[in-house]
Amino acid sequence: QVQLVESGGGSVQPGGSLRLSCAASGNIFRANSMHWFRQAPGKEREFVAIITTNGITNYASSVKGRFTISRDNAKNTIYLQMNSLKPEDTAVYYCRGALSSQVYWGQGTQVTVSS
């Protein structure tokens, strides 16, 4: 059984910070890398960050140095710490996992950065 639930979105001024969480079922959390994606209005869903099962991370160039992905194995949860937020970061943020070669998505959480 698979479950991904995001939380932590909201509205913030430019330069502010938010921390997103994604609580995952244990089987999907332990099976593969976990990702954050985002989708702005009128745009394709884009990669934001990845963390492997052993904690190796990588980021989209647009967020590198500002965002940090992490995982808490005891809680089956991944996080996205977002600092120095910009208006162009406004999007719905999605948690992604995989199990048995099938991709699963959370419901998304809205992040709005005012101009």
Side-chain angles (χ1 to χ4, degrees), residues 17-97:
S17 298
L18 287 171
R19 192 191 196 200
L20 307 183
S21 299
C22 173
S25 53
N27 53 353
I28 191 171
F29 189 83
R30 291 186 292 270
N32 284 292
S33 298
M34 301 290 291
H35 302 72
W36 286 101
F37 281 71
R38 68 186 182 186
Q39 188 166 19
K43 295 186 177 181
E44 297 289 325
R45 189 169 298 186
E46 66 175 348
F47 166 80
V48 174
I50 182 173
I51 185 165
T52 69
T53 54
N54 60 342
I56 299 172
T57 61
N58 202 4
Y59 301 89
S61 60
S62 59
V63 307
K64 194 171 186 177
R66 300 187 297 119
F67 291 10
T68 302
I69 187 172
S70 61
R71 64 160 61 209
D72 186 333
N73 292 333
K75 296 182 177 180
N76 292 337
T77 299
I78 64 167
Y79 304 93
L80 187 68
Q81 178 66 48
M82 305 184 294
N83 299 325
S84 301
L85 282 162
K86 304 175 181 179
E88 51 263 45
D89 295 319
T90 295
V92 178
Y93 284 71
Y94 296 92
C95 180
R96 175 197 183 275

